[in-house]
Amino acid sequence: MNARLNILIVGVGGQGVLTSSNIIARAAMRKGMNVLTSETHGMAQRGGSVEVHVRIGDVHSPLIPFGSADIVIALEPVEALRYAHYMNENTMIILNSRKIKPTTVNVGLAEYPEIEEIIERLKTVTEKIKVVDASAIAEKVARVQATNVVVLGMLAKVLEGRFLTLEDLEYGVRAFLPERLVEINLKALKAGYESLS
Amino acid sequence: MLKDVLGKEGEKVFLLGNEAIARGAIESGIDIVSCYPGTPSSEITDTLAQACSHLRGKMDYFVEYSTNEKVAFETGIGASLAGKRALVTMKHVGLNVAADSLFSFAYVGARGGFVVVTADDPTMHSSQNEQDNRWYGKSAKLPVLEPSGVNEAKELVKVAFDLSERFGLPMIFRTYTRLSHSSGIVDLGEIPEKRFEKVGWERRPETDVVLPAHARKLKLVLLEKLEKIENHFDKFEFNWIEDGDGDTGIIACGLSYSYVKEAIENLRSKNDFDSPPVLKLSSMHPVPEKLIERFTDGLKKVLVVEEVDPFIEMHVKALDVEVLGKLSGDMPMNYEYNVPVVEMGIARVFGLEPSRDYEAIMNRELASIAPPRPPVLCPGCPHTATFYAIKKAGGEVLPSDIGCYTLGINKPLEAVDTTICMGASAGVANGLSYFVDGKIVATIGDSTFFHAGMPPLANAVYNNLNYTLIIMDNSTTGMTGHQPHPGTGIRACGEGRRVSLEDVVKGLGVEFVEVVNSYNVRKLIESIRRAIEHDGVAVVISRHPCAILWTRERKRKGIEVRAFEVAENCTVCMKCITDFTCPAIFVDDGKVGIDAALCVGCAVCASICPEKAIKPKGVGR
């Protein structure tokens, strides 16, 4: 990898996308690296689709240019499709398979695609897709709300020591989360890390 | 995070753009901050409100959530005239509300440092228009500053206060969504020691009373000040020239500088191309003409990269150089910039190939099977119940306003017919009531009513107009992050007093005023029916705390939040989906269900179910 790392985290309002980016940012700062993030606020937060850009290293713009994400973390499957314009043929996708159906689907105005179809579509851009059930891991070791931290453990694994290590992210968890949530989230982080071979 | 905002001098911390602006205000030793919240500006004052009590006794300042932006602005004027430093924050359209005060205060001039932060919203992520507030600088004859990044934002706030006092000018500080809602590493400076201190009032009618004879003189003084600050901006440390090759240069304004830097790097990775000369600009008005002339001297062409309008481009056009940008069609006229947009523009002008085929990437059709996920009213939102009741009560013409409740436009409620700007529900209803045949039921939030709903309601009483106004009182400013307002009696920092909505409405002369619990749909429908039948303007206050706050409060008090469920006797009539709506209600395999994790137990769906098939979980089994 070059001197910059672009991570796009997408999901649904309430899944802790902002928390994830803040943990990564503190982990990067521990390493003395430059870091910029950019987030969605306001109207989009009300159960809507949420994106956060995290950029580490030699970067100027807070937004990842189209086609330039090194890693996409999708906390919800269809959200990966919605942000496909940030991916390229080398992008690594960590896709949490747990569906959150939008109200448009609940009331019959739209259909939710099969997970296989989602993956097939993503594969037209990149072959590097890790489909995981981070929500199940979170429920097992902590609670479902820790899904966003489980995927950070997975992130540490796929980075293989480049830019950020598990220890850096552990530091990020300690630095950003309130003390009462630290232990349970460290467990979630570790479980995510160990779940990928 | 507050802990970082309050960090010690010399520390490097990770801050949101708006938090960096707040820290800049703290390091400037502000005496007061006043605002009306509005995305993307809200976190500036929210942060200062949170920090206030922590800094008490060390760096004292007042925090005011004002009733509207004009009021916030004038609170700032008062502080400045008393020689104190005032920060006033608002979103771009907020400055329209405060514009009357802005234009006149320009003539009066600042005594204590006065900085108004206005947050533009290119692409209209959460706004009704895409206005460029640099024009206010041009029009009101005031300086405009615009930072290029998060750390610079903090520094530039401090500089803005210094310049305001040095030149006696109120300063406009322009930020926008992508800067306010980006985070970066910030170098913390010193927090000055300062206590509250009253001062004696010194009368200066010759400047502070803008009667015509004074104003005619003050205009010349203002122009003189503006010329002086333009000379300052010619040598301003936040404007700089980066040398490069070739006869085409780039003027990069504010955050666009970061896009230009990265676009050039990307283009150099793909093309044999030397970096062109770049002028980084952070003073948007008055435009530093001598600096720009120095930069363009020897250049044949210059490309201007700036957010929203061709503001600098139009100014530079007067110079002896070919100017490219939005007007020339080389940069897009609409929506916010980013690296690809800027890179494609530079590539066009310099005859280069972009580092990626951005257009092909944007045209990928992967998301065509992704179901839309629009923002929705939350589970248990009292507005949903109110909109349902309005439709059942026979409301036909439905002007509405600015807030979460604008989402009442969506199916199946479809209870929002117009949304213009703050307070325009009652305002537009006034005009409609002269001409439209149909039962007019306007909706406005409590915070919005205090902001701009009182004058049009007084107008309705005075002119004998006939319509119903529903004040949807969820006891907070929901959309922007739950800021308090006069109806809550809670202040940003310190004790406040509650202003009663019903007393205000009665005081304005409205004869029909009823208050109903939003969750009591049956009573609400009856009340709205009576209001519609009433001859003259009628007000129904539909009152229930915002569901988010209500649930938070119950959890804090240890009160169980009991979810509802659908019982066996459900006939799948679908009324709860076709007439009502709630994100917690879903249809799966032809059956209606309620997501217990989302349900907040408001019981409204249970009350509208014709079969009485929705019950508290665990009851009726």
Side-chain angles (χ1 to χ4, degrees), chain B residues 73-364:
Chain B
F73 199 98
E74 289 160 4
T75 294
I77 293 176
S80 175
L81 293 183
K84 300 291 183 176
R85 286 192 158 186
L87 180 78
V88 184
T89 72
M90 57 193 65
K91 70 180 293 173
H92 60 338
V93 291
L95 200 53
N96 302 341
V97 177
D100 205 1
S101 321
L102 174 85
F103 279 70
S104 292
F105 187 44
Y107 279 41
V108 171
R111 209 154 292 146
F114 182 102
V115 178
V116 55
V117 178
T118 142
D120 290 5
D121 188 17
T123 296
M124 298 158 276
H125 295 280
S126 28
S127 303
Q128 61 268 43
N129 75 14
E130 192 176 45
Q131 72 185 49
D132 184 334
N133 274 4
R134 291 177 297 176
W135 296 111
Y136 274 115
K138 180 86 185 154
S139 189
K141 302 182 170 50
L142 288 177
V144 182
L145 297 177
E146 183 178 321
S148 68
V150 174
N151 191 49
E152 195 179 271
K154 191 208 75 174
E155 292 304 318
L156 210 51
V157 169
K158 292 201 281 186
V159 170
F161 275 105
D162 290 342
L163 293 179
S164 174
E165 283 165 4
R166 183 166 152 198
F167 293 94
L169 286 165
M171 304 291 289
I172 300 175
F173 187 101
R174 184 198 192 206
T175 175
Y176 25 76
T177 307
R178 207 46 72 186
L179 186 64
S180 282
H181 288 169
S182 289
S183 300
I185 301 171
V186 174
D187 300 309
L188 298 184
E190 190 193 354
I191 299 178
E193 288 261 331
K194 185 177 66 71
R195 302 284 187 284
F196 286 128
E197 203 180 283
K198 292 255 182 186
V199 292
W201 172 242
E202 204 180 313
R203 270 188 92 235
R204 298 185 211 198
E206 64 287 357
T207 58
D208 299 355
V209 181
V210 283
L211 52 80
H214 293 168
R216 282 192 283 270
K217 287 179 195 149
L218 289 170
K219 180 170 183 190
L220 303 182
V221 174
L222 174 58
L223 292 175
E224 213 173 288
K225 288 178 184 174
L226 213 55
E227 196 183 323
K228 280 186 189 152
I229 205 165
E230 185 186 326
N231 288 333
H232 180 79
F233 287 153
D234 281 326
K235 298 173 289 285
F236 191 41
E237 57 181 308
F238 292 89
N239 298 330
W240 64 75
I241 293 172
E242 293 174 10
D243 292 334
D245 290 317
D247 56 10
T248 304
I250 300 175
I251 299 179
C253 305
L255 186 65
S256 292
Y257 172 72
S258 76
Y259 305 147
V260 167
K261 291 292 277 183
E262 205 159 315
I264 291 172
E265 284 174 19
N266 289 350
L267 289 166
R268 280 166 59 81
S269 72
K270 179 93 176 181
N271 303 270
D272 181 18
F273 155 67
D274 292 320
S275 293
V278 173
L279 168 60
K280 181 268 189 186
L281 207 58
S282 274
S283 68
M284 297 294 133
H285 187 262
V287 177
E289 283 180 13
K290 286 193 228 53
L291 172 67
I292 291 177
E293 274 169 9
R294 267 205 311 283
F295 176 66
T296 56
D297 187 31
L299 294 179
K300 284 210 177 91
K301 288 190 223 172
V302 62
L303 172 69
V304 181
V305 184
E306 58 189 324
E307 289 282 11
V308 187
D309 285 343
F311 182 82
I312 296 293
E313 186 181 348
M314 285 174 79
H315 281 83
V316 178
K317 257 188 151 6
L319 302 176
D320 188 24
V321 61
E322 189 186 349
V323 181
L324 305 173
K326 291 168 184 278
L327 294 170
S328 68
D330 292 286
M331 295 299 299
M333 192 62 93
N334 303 310
Y335 312 137
E336 75 175 338
Y337 283 0
N338 52 35
V339 172
V341 164
V342 172
E343 193 180 327
M344 285 190 285
I346 296 175
R348 211 172 292 127
V349 169
F350 287 80
L352 305 169
E353 202 181 326
S355 62
R356 290 182 195 277
D357 187 351
Y358 292 120
E359 276 167 27
I361 292 171
M362 282 310 289
N363 287 334
R364 279 180 196 154

Side-chain angles (χ1 to χ4, degrees), chain B residues 593-604:
Chain B
I594 294 174
D595 187 336
L598 293 177
C599 179
V600 299
C602 72
V604 173

Side-chain angles (χ1 to χ4, degrees), chain A residues 26 37 55 60 79 84 104, chain B residues 4 183 262 265 364 372-373:
Chain A
R26 275 145 187 95
T37 67
R55 311 195 69 201
H60 305 281
E79 296 311 312
T104 50
Chain B
D4 295 324
S183 300
E262 205 159 315
E265 284 174 19
R364 279 180 196 154
R373 201 185 291 279

Side-chain angles (χ1 to χ4, degrees), chain B residues 26-31 55-61 190-197:
Chain B
I26 293 170
E27 290 181 13
S28 303
I30 53 159
D31 296 291
L55 290 167
R56 187 61 33 97
K58 291 175 263 195
M59 209 303 273
D60 288 340
Y61 59 91
E190 190 193 354
I191 299 178
E193 288 261 331
K194 185 177 66 71
R195 302 284 187 284
F196 286 128
E197 203 180 283

Side-chain angles (χ1 to χ4, degrees), chain B residues 467-480:
Chain B
Y467 64 88
T468 298
L469 179 69
I470 314 280
I471 304 178
M472 304 172 101
D473 178 9
N474 63 357
S475 306
T476 190
T477 315
M479 188 65 146
T480 46

Side-chain angles (χ1 to χ4, degrees), chain A:
Chain A
M1 269 184 221
N2 49 19
R4 64 172 67 143
L5 178 70
N6 292 324
I7 306 170
L8 181 73
I9 312 172
V10 301
V12 179
Q15 279 194 300
V17 171
L18 285 184
T19 301
S20 303
S21 67
N22 269 300
I23 291 171
I24 299 174
R26 275 145 187 95
M29 281 182 76
R30 180 188 189 226
K31 280 275 177 69
M33 292 186 289
N34 180 40
V35 56
L36 290 174
T37 67
S38 188
E39 56 200 55
T40 35
H41 276 236
M43 258 193 151
Q45 270 188 320
R46 301 264 178 268
S49 168
V50 176
E51 61 181 305
V52 183
H53 298 233
V54 183
R55 311 195 69 201
I56 298 172
D58 183 18
V59 291
H60 305 281
S61 155
L63 286 175
I64 299 171
F66 304 142
S68 305
D70 298 300
I71 294 170
V72 172
I73 297 173
L75 289 170
E76 204 285 338
V78 290
E79 296 311 312
L81 290 175
R82 225 184 293 283
Y83 298 96
H85 52 284
Y86 287 103
M87 302 168 187
N88 61 47
E89 64 282 4
N90 293 315
T91 302
M92 162 75 76
I93 305 173
I94 300 174
L95 186 90
N96 183 30
S97 58
R98 183 72 61 91
K99 295 175 183 177
I100 299 175
K101 290 187 183 171
T103 48
T104 50
V105 172
N106 287 344
V107 300
L109 290 171
E111 273 183 40
Y112 196 101
E114 293 298 326
I115 197 98
E116 290 75 21
E117 197 183 353
I118 295 171
I119 294 164
E120 205 176 293
R121 286 215 165 196
L122 293 172
K123 279 197 172 161
T124 62
V125 182
T126 172
E127 291 284 328
K128 298 182 190 170
I129 306 174
K130 289 199 185 297
V131 182
V132 297
D133 194 346
S135 300
I137 296 171
E139 280 165 343
K140 202 171 133 204
V141 302
R143 47 195 196 124
V144 74
Q145 284 85 345
T147 307
N148 60 339
V149 176
V150 170
V151 294
L152 293 185
M154 296 169 173
L155 171 72
K157 189 76 178 187
V158 303
L159 285 174
E160 293 173 338
R162 290 163 303 180
F163 290 96
L164 301 171
T165 62
L166 182 65
E167 290 71 37
D168 295 329
L169 286 160
E170 281 171 352
Y171 169 84
V173 167
R174 286 202 180 89
F176 185 71
L177 292 179
E179 210 173 322
R180 65 193 160 81
L181 296 176
V182 167
E183 276 318 304
I184 198 161
N185 279 287
L186 287 176
K187 266 167 81 180
L189 186 75
K190 192 147 182 266
Y193 183 84
E194 287 170 352
S195 71
L196 292 185
S197 51

